[in-house]
Amino acid sequence: MLYNILSLFFVFTVPSEVDHRETKGEITAIESRVTEFTLKNGLHVIHYFDSSAPVVSVNVYYRVGSYDEQTGSTGISHMVEHMSFKHTDIYKPGDFDRMLDSVGANNNGFTSTYYTGYYEELAKEHWELALKLEAARMNNCIFPDSEFESEHQVVAEERRLQDNRPTSNLWEQFEAIAFLAHPHRNPTIGWSDDVGKFTVEKVRDWYKKYYNPANAVIVIAGDVPLEEVKSKVEKYYARFKGTPVKRPDFYDIEPALAGERRLVLRKRVNVPTLLIGFPTPGIRDSLYIVGDVVAAILGSGRNSRLYRTLVIDSGFATSVSAWNSVERDPGILEILVTPKAESLIPRIETVILTEIKRMVTEPVSTQELQRVKNQTLATALFDRDDISDIAWLLATSQITAGNWRHFLQQIERIEKTTPEQVLVFCKQYLTEQRRIVGVLLSDKEVK
Amino acid sequence: MNFPGKQLLIILLIVIGNLSGAVLFRDSLSNGLIILTYEDHRLPMVDISFVCRSGAVFDPDGKAGTASLCTDMLLRGTKNLTPDSIAQILDFIGARYGTGTDFDRCFINLRLLSKDLTTGLDILSEIILEPTFPIDEFTRTQEQALSGARRAYDYPSSVVGMEFDRLLFGEHRYSLPPRGDTATIRKITRDDLKNFHKTHFVPNNCFIVFVGAVDHNYIKNEVNRRFGNWQPRPVSNPQPPELTLPEKIRVKLITRKEMNQTYIQFGHPGISIFDKDLIAIRLMSYILGGPPLSSRMGLAVREYGGLAYDVRCWFDRRLLPGAFRATVQTAKPKEAIEKMFAEIRQMHEKGATKSELLKAQNYFTGSFPLSYSSNQGKLDRVTEIELYRFGIDWLEQFPVRVRTTTLEQVNEAAKQHLFPDRYIMVIMGNVTKEELNLPDAEWIE
C-alpha cells in the first residue's frame, strides 16, 4: 500500500526496501557495550560504556515500590524516597543538592510499582561523587524525628496535587477497579488516609528492610571505563552487608474478570474522557508482547484503526491513543479517548467494540504489522541517543524481568510477531465481558 | 534531477569546533533561508527542526491560535500528498514527528533513521512549500484545538496561569495562550491560515537545524535543491506589550470549594530575552526560586516549612518583555505567600551572597554541556541560539558569561527587576479573603 501511494507522487523518494541491517547492528551493539558483575554482598552492577560524550549517568534502583506495600501503608516507599534526600551519618539536609548542584549534576529520585530509583547525570570528571552520595543513601540514612513532620507535609501536598487533577482521579480509580486483589490497584503515592498516617518509625523500618546492596541494582552508563567502575563500586559498596529480600509473588493473584466493570466519575470538567481497558497477560506469558503490537495497531497515530474510525471517519472524538501497560505482572491494554461530546460516548463504545471484533475475526494486514515493527526498531535506535534512556532500560529490565537483556528480547519478539499471533491474542483477551470502562464527565457546574 | 544552481548557495559559512569534537555549521541560501548543521556521527539517525521565526504574537487580532492551527495544518495535506499519505510514509519509516507553536516561533520536528533522510526532506519541503489546508481537515483540526483549549480549564494550575496572563498583559497577544482560547479559535477561518502561511513562512524568516549523522555539504545541496527557488518577502516585527507595574498587590480570587489545595501565581512585568542583564537575572532567580529543594523559596516554603511540594519563580524568556512569576500549590496559602513575599523582598533589598552565586554559577556551567550531550539536546540548543541570535559561538560563550557575572551585577539585577509588594496575583481554591490576610491588597472582582 505504501509503495502504491508513493508511486502516485513521483517527486518523492521511495524508501529503499525495508532494510534494517544497519539499525539492527546498532541495537545489537548495545550488548557488546554492557558488562555486569555482582559484589559478594549481592549488589548487582551493570556497566554500559559510551564515550561519545563526556557524561556519566549513575543509577541506583531498589526492588521496592507500591508492589510491596500493604493496606494501611500505601505510599510508604515514596515517603522513604523523600526522606532519603535529607540526612545521613555525614551529610546534612541540603548537602546532596548543594554538592551535586556545585558540579552541575542533574539528579532526582522516583518511586514506581516495582522499584524506587535515584539517578545523577553529570560530567565524567565528577561521576565518583554520585557514587559516593548514593552509597551514603543506601546504607547510612538517618531519619531524625525533627525532620520527619515537614517532609510528611510536603508529601501530603504532593498527594493533594493528584486530588485536584480530574484525569489523575480517573486513572487512579480506574486502576483500583481494574485490580481487585493485585497491588496494581494502589497508587504509588498512596491513598490519602494512608499518607496521613505515616510515622517516622514506619519510614525507618521500611528503609531498613529494603535499602541494602542485595536488594539493589546499580547501572553506570557513559564515558567511564569498566576498571574504574569496578574499583570505585568496590570502594564504596563492598563494606555494606547485603540482606536479600524475598519479594512476594502476586503474579497470579488477580481473579479472572467475572464481567464488565464500569466507573463513572463526575468532576468540574469541560471535556469528557473515556478510558477502556482489557486485562492482558504478564511477561511470563509467551504472547504478552503481542499486547504492545495490538495497542499500536489500534491506537498509535493517524493511521491506527481507532484514530481512523473515531476521529477521521465518524468525528465522534478529537483524540485517541492506546498502549499496553504490562511491565511485569498482568496489566491492562488501555484505550484513551477524548469524546467530542458526552452524548457520543455510547456510540464511541460501539465503534470500539466493532473494531475489536474485527481484530478478533480478521488477521491484521502485513503493512500494519510491518509499520509497528519498523517503529519499534527505529525507537530502539533513538533510545540510544541519550545514555539516561539506555540506563533506565537496563535498570528496569533487570528489576522487572531479572535480566537486563529483557528490553532487547522484547524488540526481537515484536519483530517475530505474526498476524496469527495477533489474532490468537485478541480472541483470548479482547472480549466484551473482560472490559473495564472509566468515564470522566462534567458535574454540570462547569464554566 | 532539478538542481536550481550553485549560484544560490553559500552566502555565509561559519564553522566552529566544540567540546565533543563534532562541528556546527551555519549557512544561508541567497533567499535568506538559514541552514544549521551539527554533525554527530555516533548513530545512524538525524533530527531536523524547521523553524519559522513568527510565532503566536503574529496572530491576527481577535484570532489567537492562528499560528498554532496553521502549523498543525501543515501536516494535513499538500498539493501532492494527502494527510493520510504523509502519516503513512512517516509512520512506516518509523519517524517521530510533530509540530509546535509558542509565542516566538512555529516549528516542525522530525527524527529519522539516516537512510530515510531524503524521504524526510521531500516531505518536509512539500509540507512547508505546498500546504493546501483542506476544508475537512481544517474543521477537524479546529475542533481538536477547541477541545484542547476547553480542557485547559479543567486544571487549576493552567487556570491561574491563564488568568494571570490576562491581568498582566491586557490587550496584548501574550494575554492568551499560544494555542488561543475557545472564543478566539472559533473565529479563525481557513483563509486566516493561508494568509499566515503566505506572510510568515518565507525563507528569510525561517531556518532549518539538522543534528546527527549528516554531512553539511550534502545537506546544503539537498536543502537548496528543494527550497532554493522559494521567494523571499519582507517581514514585520511584533509589537511589544505595554506593561504597567501595579502600585500595590492586586488580587483575583477564584473560589473553588471542592479543592483541598490553593493554587497561586503572582508576579509583575519582567524582561525580554535580549535584556542586557539576562545572565545576572537568571542567576538571581535561580538562587531565589530555582530548584525546590535548595533555592531560597524552596528552603523556606518546602524544606523548612513543609507547605508545598513545588514552589518556584522565574522570568519569562521571550523575544518581547514577559513576566516575572512565582507559583505554589498549598493547603496553607497565607503562610506560603508570606514566606515567598519575604524571600523576594530580602533578595531585592540585600541581594545574594558570594557562596550562593558561586553555587549557581557552578550549576549553570556544569549542567550546560549536559544539556546538549544528546542529539535532542543539541537540536534544542542550536535552535535557541539561532532564534534568539545569541551568536554561533554561544556554546563556548555562555559558560564564560556566567563565570564573569559578578555579585554586584546579580544584586543590581535584584534591585532593578524585582518589585516587592507590587504584584498581580491569582489565587484559586477553597479560601476566603479574610483567611488570606492581605490587608493592603486591591481585590479584582
Side-chain angles (χ1 to χ4, degrees), chain A residues 300-319:
Chain A
S300 172
R302 182 182 173 104
N303 290 303
S304 63
R305 293 186 175 194
L306 291 176
Y307 194 94
R308 180 144 292 283
T309 49
L310 289 174
V311 180
I312 297 175
D313 295 344
S314 68
F316 291 164
T318 55
S319 76

Side-chain angles (χ1 to χ4, degrees), chain A residues 2 5 9 13 52 86 102 153 157-158 163-164 167 268 270 302-303 307-308 318 340 374 385, chain B residues 42 80 84 88 92 96 111 122 137 143-144 154-155 258 260-261 303 306 309 331 362-363 375:
Chain A
L2 170 73
I5 293 159
F9 310 108
T13 311
S52 59
K86 287 187 168 293
S102 72
Q153 289 312 311
E157 292 287 359
E158 191 179 357
D163 299 336
N164 293 303
T167 42
R268 182 194 284 265
N270 295 274
R302 182 182 173 104
N303 290 303
Y307 194 94
R308 180 144 292 283
T318 55
K340 209 178 280 176
N374 293 349
D385 177 35
Chain B
R42 289 176 305 148
N80 293 306
D84 290 343
Q88 275 163 353
F92 195 79
R96 276 188 201 163
R111 170 172 270 202
D122 286 342
E137 290 294 329
E143 278 167 358
Q144 289 172 323
D154 296 346
Y155 294 93
E258 74 277 14
N260 61 5
Q261 206 174 26
E303 288 303 287
Y309 173 71
N362 287 342
Y363 179 74
N375 283 10

Side-chain angles (χ1 to χ4, degrees), chain A residues 357-373:
Chain A
K357 274 182 191 148
R358 243 183 92 203
M359 294 290 287
V360 170
T361 50
E362 298 168 22
V364 294
S365 71
T366 317
Q367 281 83 6
E368 280 176 305
L369 200 51
Q370 192 60 48
R371 165 175 68 86
V372 176
K373 292 177 181 183

Side-chain angles (χ1 to χ4, degrees), chain B residues 17-37:
Chain B
N18 64 63
L19 299 175
S20 63
V23 188
L24 173 62
F25 299 86
R26 184 180 187 275
D27 245 315
S28 107
L29 304 187
S30 62
N31 59 12
L33 180 66
I34 288 170
I35 306 159
L36 295 119
T37 314

Side-chain angles (χ1 to χ4, degrees), chain A residues 28-232:
Chain A
T28 311
I30 291 172
E31 294 217 44
S32 64
R33 291 167 178 267
V34 176
T35 311
E36 59 185 326
F37 60 93
T38 307
L39 299 191
K40 283 180 187 157
N41 58 18
L43 178 64
H44 195 81
V45 184
I46 298 170
H47 170 243
Y48 174 82
F49 183 67
D50 181 347
S51 60
S52 59
V55 175
V56 176
S57 171
V58 175
N59 306 262
V60 182
Y61 280 56
Y62 297 89
R63 282 184 200 85
V64 63
S66 54
Y67 185 86
D68 306 280
E69 296 166 354
Q70 290 80 43
T71 302
S73 292
T74 60
I76 188 72
S77 306
H78 174 250
M79 184 70 221
V80 172
E81 177 221 314
H82 269 248
M83 289 298 291
S84 74
F85 278 85
K86 287 187 168 293
H87 217 131
T88 77
D89 53 345
I90 52 171
Y91 302 117
K92 293 187 186 62
D95 281 357
F96 271 42
D97 278 281
R98 184 181 53 74
M99 294 169 80
L100 289 167
D101 282 1
S102 72
V103 297
N106 296 322
N107 82 100
N108 211 337
F110 52 89
T111 309
S112 182
T113 310
Y114 296 101
Y115 44 82
T116 303
Y118 303 88
Y119 70 86
E120 291 81 20
E121 190 188 12
L122 66 183
K124 70 172 184 178
E125 60 269 29
H126 300 299
W127 85 277
E128 190 180 342
L129 171 66
L131 205 64
K132 189 175 163 186
L133 293 175
E134 288 300 343
R137 177 161 20 223
M138 181 180 286
N139 202 60
N140 303 329
C141 277
I142 50 175
F143 304 107
D145 292 358
S146 57
E147 288 165 17
F148 174 73
E149 202 39 50
S150 68
E151 200 59 33
H152 190 193
Q153 289 312 311
V154 169
V155 171
E157 292 287 359
E158 191 179 357
R159 171 64 246 183
R160 289 185 195 108
L161 286 172
Q162 292 276 98
D163 299 336
N164 293 303
R165 292 184 192 125
T167 42
S168 298
N169 291 175
L170 178 66
W171 289 114
E172 197 169 87
Q173 302 210 10
F174 180 85
E175 300 268 313
I177 67 157
F179 297 97
L180 299 182
H182 194 282
H184 280 162
R185 70 192 316 279
N186 296 324
T188 305
I189 196 167
W191 297 110
S192 294
D193 191 58
D194 292 353
V195 171
K197 289 175 181 164
F198 293 153
T199 62
V200 72
E201 289 78 18
K202 272 189 190 174
V203 168
R204 287 183 192 129
D205 291 346
W206 203 256
Y207 173 77
K208 201 173 163 191
K209 180 173 179 185
Y210 290 103
Y211 281 58
N212 83 75
N215 199 43
V217 171
I218 296 188
V219 176
I220 294 159
D223 189 9
V224 54
L226 177 63
E227 298 69 37
E228 193 179 336
V229 167
K230 279 185 171 168
S231 74
K232 299 299 179 193

